[in-house]
Amino acid sequence: MSFEDTIRQIVREENEKHLANIKELLDSYTHEDTPKTLSVKEAAKILGFGVTKTYEMIKQAEHTGFPYLKDGCKVRIPYQALINWMNQRAKQVI
């Protein structure tokens, strides 16, 4: 077996391990595990933004359609609405 074949075999085995781990994770995930709403900090983490940028997006929601709920001073982001919003924005970029 050549050096390249050995590397390919190692990569193939590692990929199989990762795919098995992903499948196990997906199989263990249920709809009940999905949060209904997120804090701004949690939403920022999902978006890959900082908290400040997420608050800026909330302020611009009228123009961007960014989903959020406000209860007094408390801001919550509906999880499913955020995922839908992200998917719509991703389609616009493509």
Side-chain angles (χ1 to χ4, degrees):
M1 184 180 280
S2 73
F3 179 72
E4 289 177 356
D5 290 338
T6 303
I7 296 296
R8 284 188 186 107
Q9 181 64 30
I10 291 169
V11 169
R12 189 176 306 116
E13 289 171 3
E14 288 301 312
N15 283 341
E16 287 173 4
K17 287 179 194 175
H18 289 297
L19 289 173
N21 289 340
I22 290 169
K23 183 179 181 332
E24 183 180 321
L25 180 63
L26 289 174
D27 289 344
S28 69
Y29 184 79
T30 65
H31 180 68
E32 291 79 31
D33 295 332
T34 305
K36 301 299 180 211
T37 60
L38 304 165
S39 67
V40 173
K41 186 176 181 179
E42 291 168 329
K45 187 174 181 181
I46 289 172
L47 290 164
F49 297 157
V51 174
T52 303
K53 175 66 176 173
T54 305
Y55 275 113
E56 286 175 15
M57 294 181 71
I58 291 167
K59 288 179 184 176
Q60 299 171 357
E62 184 177 320
H63 304 291
T64 64
F66 187 82
Y68 74 97
L69 303 169
K70 195 161 184 181
D71 180 20
C73 294
K74 194 175 197 178
V75 176
R76 302 295 289 173
I77 293 90
Y79 175 81
Q80 195 58 52
L82 177 63
I83 299 302
N84 292 340
W85 180 84
M86 288 171 50
N87 288 334
Q88 288 173 344
R89 299 291 286 201
K91 289 177 186 175
Q92 291 173 0
V93 172
I94 296 173

